[in-house]
């Protein structure tokens, strides 16, 4: 008598393996045709064309290098660039810190430029607070970021009266 653990010949093993294999649920790979639809960085047009776009938002990502510039300027993306993961994390930290510290004041993107050992942070902010507070925030941001990133940090900010001053077009 043959049990499930003992087989008389190799053909019996193969037969039982086939029965065992058919009893398990099957997994299969499903594929579909590739849709060459690039969606990121493109904004839908509204019916009444009321959505404001800045110059950075109005140019699509494929226009970087033609009409649009990078939001981070550094050399880590070059061949054998040093500190690439650290630079990405630092840039994310700088953007979060700036938008949190300058709450609801930035009307453009935060531009980070790294030159040698210095980090320059540029952007356009709105005139909602008194100049005394603005100077305090500039010094506070530069001092804390210099301490945390261990290199000199300089803020290059421009001010506008209203958010509508940076609108490039409406879609």
């Amino acid at each position: 008598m043959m049990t499930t653990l003992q087989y008389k010949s190799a053909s019996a093993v193969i037969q039982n393996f086939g029965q065992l294999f058919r009893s398990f649920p099957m997994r299969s790979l499903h594929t579909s045709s590739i849709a060459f639809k690039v969606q990121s960085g493109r904004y839908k047009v509204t019916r009444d064309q009321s959505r404001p776009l800045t110059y950075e938002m109005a140019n699509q990502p494929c226009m970087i290098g033609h009409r649009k510039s990078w939001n981070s300027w550094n050399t880590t993306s070059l061949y054998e660039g040093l500190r690439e993961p650290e630079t990405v994390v630092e840039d994310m930290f700088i953007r979060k810190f700036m938008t949190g510290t300058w709450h609801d004041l930035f009307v453009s993107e935060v531009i980070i430029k790294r030159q040698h050992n210095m980090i320059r942070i540029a952007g356009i902010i709105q005139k909602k607070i008194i100049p005394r507070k603005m100077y305090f925030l500039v010094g506070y941001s530069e001092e804390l970021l210099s301490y945390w990133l261990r290199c000199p940090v300089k803020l290059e900010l421009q001010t506008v009266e209203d958010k509508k001053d940076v609108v490039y077009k409406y879609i």
Side-chain angles (χ1 to χ4, degrees), residues 159-170:
T159 58
V160 292
E161 293 290 333
D162 193 19
K163 281 186 177 182
K164 293 180 180 176
D165 294 341
V166 294
V167 173
Y168 180 68
K169 71 178 183 179
Y170 289 93

Side-chain angles (χ1 to χ4, degrees), residues 30-37:
H30 296 282
T31 61
S32 61
S33 63
I34 298 172
F36 291 103
K37 186 174 181 181

Side-chain angles (χ1 to χ4, degrees), residues 84-118:
E84 186 174 351
E86 292 89 352
T87 303
V88 171
V89 170
E90 286 176 359
D91 286 356
M92 287 173 41
F93 173 74
I94 290 170
R95 284 195 174 86
K96 294 270 189 188
F97 178 80
M98 292 302 290
T99 55
T101 304
W102 297 80
H103 180 69
D104 203 29
L105 291 176
F106 270 95
V107 293
S108 71
E109 287 80 12
V110 176
I111 308 296
I112 301 170
K113 303 172 190 173
R114 296 174 183 265
Q115 293 178 334
H116 304 296
N117 192 31
M118 179 176 256

